[in-house]
């Protein structure tokens, strides 16, 4: 669950930086934020898959 919260945080950071002047977005910050969004989403699905495999092994 924490992976999705971090992905949401970085998505919000990108949106705020893109559409407002609250945060100055450099190219590097944008690339890192997008990379972290996809990494957190990947880790979320990976952890769900591992939990599913663990529960199947117990049975």
């Amino acid at each position: 669950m924490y992976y999705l919260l971090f992905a949401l945080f970085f998505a919000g950071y990108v949106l705020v930086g893109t559409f407002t002047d609250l945060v100055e977005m450099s190219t590097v910050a944008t690339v890192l934020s997008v990379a972290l969004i996809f990494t957190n989403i990947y880790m979320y699905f990976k952890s769900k898959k591992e939990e599913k495999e663990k529960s199947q092994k117990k049975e």
Side-chain angles (χ1 to χ4, degrees), residues 2-27:
Y2 290 111
Y3 295 118
L4 291 180
L5 291 175
F6 282 119
L8 183 63
F9 169 77
F10 288 115
Y13 180 75
V14 168
L15 289 174
V16 168
T18 303
F19 296 115
T20 66
D21 291 334
L22 293 175
V23 179
E24 286 188 31
M25 291 290 290
S26 67
T27 305

Side-chain angles (χ1 to χ4, degrees), residues 28-42:
V28 174
T30 304
V31 169
L32 285 175
S33 294
V34 171
L36 288 171
I37 289 168
F38 286 120
T39 301
N40 280 305
I41 291 171
Y42 167 76

Side-chain angles (χ1 to χ4, degrees), residues 36-54:
L36 288 171
I37 289 168
F38 286 120
T39 301
N40 280 305
I41 291 171
Y42 167 76
M43 291 300 293
Y44 171 75
F45 285 117
K46 183 178 174 184
S47 68
K48 284 290 187 184
K49 182 180 175 185
E50 288 175 357
E51 287 177 11
K52 186 177 181 182
E53 289 175 354
K54 282 182 182 180

